[in-house]
């Protein structure tokens, strides 16, 4: 696999991601938010993640910048990136399907919010985060550039470690012992 093809695979990953998310985001907007933890910190974390998973790799794919950080792409690395990208999309789809209208881009509890413990959530407590980690790894494998390739791991890592504790707290406040029990199973 050539660098041009691996960049194409990355673009297809991004398009697939958008297509999966679009319909669920449209549906979720119809369900009012009951409680939210949106604010300056959440906005900053989302922007950092967007920069690492979207903006920097897009600039690299379109312009090749920053050239100084390029390295030779090994075909095995690129093929592995393809398989990880497919796994990311599958995990992303399964997560959205299980969440339905409970899904939100931010830390929100919606009216009638349900604790989802079936589907992919039966085994993985945070499959959406798992899907994003897979995206970040696929990006590192597909884009042979030390900056653009690894910016997803850094950008999403900052969001993940800055958010997961707050999300767990919100779920504990909302669902109490049911969520504690779920935490012990997953």
């Amino acid at each position: 696999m050539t660098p041009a093809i691996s960049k194409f695979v990355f673009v297809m990953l991004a398009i697939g991601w958008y297509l999966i998310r679009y319909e669920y985001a449209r549906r979720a907007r119809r369900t009012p938010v009951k409680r939210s933890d949106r604010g300056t910190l959440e906005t900053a974390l989302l922007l950092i993640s967007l920069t690492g998973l979207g903006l920097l790799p897009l600039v690299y794919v379109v312009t090749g910048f920053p050239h100084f950080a390029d390295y030779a792409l090994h075909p095995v690395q690129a093929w592995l990136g393809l398989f990880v990208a497919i796994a990311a999309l599958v995990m992303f789809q399964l997560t959205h399907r299980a969440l339905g209208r409970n899904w939100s881009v931010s830390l929100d509890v919606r009216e009638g919010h349900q604790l989802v413990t079936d589907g992919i959530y039966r085994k993985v407590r945070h499959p959406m985060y798992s899907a994003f980690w897979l995206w970040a790894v696929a990006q590192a494998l597909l884009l042979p550039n030390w900056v653009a390739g690894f910016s997803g791991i850094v950008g999403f890592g900052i969001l993940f470690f800055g958010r997961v504790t707050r999300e767990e707290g919100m779920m504990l406040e909302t669902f109490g012992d049911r969520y504690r029990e779920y935490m012990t199973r997953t």
Side-chain angles (χ1 to χ4, degrees):
M1 185 180 303
T2 67
I5 293 173
S6 71
K7 287 178 183 179
F8 175 78
V9 169
F10 177 78
V11 169
M12 291 297 100
L13 169 63
I15 290 170
W17 204 265
Y18 174 79
L19 291 174
I20 290 168
R21 175 150 285 178
Y22 177 78
E23 185 58 31
Y24 289 95
R26 194 177 66 74
R27 282 188 222 154
R29 277 193 294 268
R30 295 184 203 149
T31 307
V33 173
K34 181 178 175 181
R35 178 171 175 250
S36 181
D37 195 15
R38 296 178 193 198
T40 306
L41 175 61
E42 180 70 5
T43 300
L45 292 172
L46 287 169
L47 286 174
I48 290 167
S49 185
L50 174 64
T51 300
L53 288 170
L55 299 178
L56 287 175
L58 178 63
V59 166
Y60 174 71
V61 167
V62 172
T63 69
F65 180 81
H67 303 286
F68 71 87
D70 284 347
Y71 63 87
L73 179 69
H74 193 283
V76 172
Q77 171 187 341
W79 282 103
L80 185 57
L82 170 66
F83 293 123
V84 174
I86 291 168
L89 287 174
V90 168
M91 178 74 79
F92 198 62
Q93 173 65 30
L94 292 172
T95 302
H96 278 79
R97 185 180 304 149
L99 284 175
R101 292 179 190 255
N102 293 306
W103 174 80
S104 177
V105 73
S106 192
L107 296 180
D108 297 329
V109 175
R110 298 192 174 277
E111 295 288 335
H113 202 110
Q114 300 293 314
L115 177 60
V116 176
T117 60
D118 55 350
I120 190 70
Y121 283 86
R122 184 179 316 253
K123 299 287 183 192
V124 181
R125 187 178 332 154
H126 295 293
M128 184 76 70
Y129 292 143
S130 300
F132 275 102
W133 280 119
L134 288 168
W135 167 308
V137 170
Q139 177 177 318
L141 292 167
L142 290 167
L143 302 181
N145 183 280
W146 293 108
V147 175
F150 287 89
S151 66
I153 291 172
V154 173
F156 179 68
I158 291 170
L159 176 125
F160 176 80
F161 291 109
R163 180 197 251 192
V164 73
T165 302
R166 293 181 308 126
E167 183 172 347
E168 294 273 324
M170 182 180 271
M171 293 294 102
L172 285 167
E173 283 180 30
T174 304
F175 299 110
D177 288 337
R178 287 179 46 221
Y179 192 73
R180 271 186 202 81
E181 179 187 319
Y182 173 67
M183 289 172 74
T184 63
R185 292 193 323 256
T186 57

